[in-house]
Amino acid sequence: LPDKLWRVVWRDPSSVNPIYALALLQSPAVRRELSARSSGTGGSMKNISQAKLMVMPFPMAPPAEQAEFAQAAGTVQELKDQAARRLAQTHHLLKTLQSRAFSGTL
């Protein structure tokens, strides 16, 4: 997207789940389409005009399926957060074990 800030306002906010919309905009297929419609000289400096974005079709699932997706995405994020906490805890325990082993207090 351009280096300007945009605010997306849906015509019917009840028809779009924000978590679904974010995942949709981050999906490889939509990113490729955005890139194809973008203009500019450098790979990191490409922009898409608001007019081009406004006419771009987006695959919108029915609201019930969007809600189901958002629920599943929330569960996945929760599991990722738990795994990250456990990994940090494991690293801490490993450092403690190494410290004790090399200091002779094991």
Side-chain angles (χ1 to χ4, degrees), residues 72-90:
T75 300
V76 168
Q77 187 60 50
E78 219 173 275
L79 292 170
K80 286 170 58 176
D81 292 345
Q82 286 176 11
R85 284 192 302 274
R86 289 182 179 139
L87 182 60
Q89 200 174 36
T90 301

Side-chain angles (χ1 to χ4, degrees), residues 4 6 11 32 46 63 68 74 77 80 91 98 105:
K4 299 163 186 68
W6 288 5
R11 288 187 182 114
R32 276 191 302 276
K46 286 189 167 190
E68 187 178 335
Q77 187 60 50
K80 286 170 58 176
H91 282 296
Q98 286 175 332
T105 59

Side-chain angles (χ1 to χ4, degrees), residues 1 6 10-11 24-38 48-60:
L1 294 176
W6 288 5
W10 301 101
R11 288 187 182 114
L24 182 65
L25 289 171
Q26 292 175 337
S27 71
V30 171
R31 301 287 297 174
R32 276 191 302 276
E33 187 63 29
L34 285 168
S35 182
R37 292 170 184 256
S38 297
I48 186 168
S49 69
Q50 189 175 15
K52 287 181 181 179
L53 184 67
M54 293 295 288
V55 297
M56 188 174 147
F58 290 93
M60 297 303 288

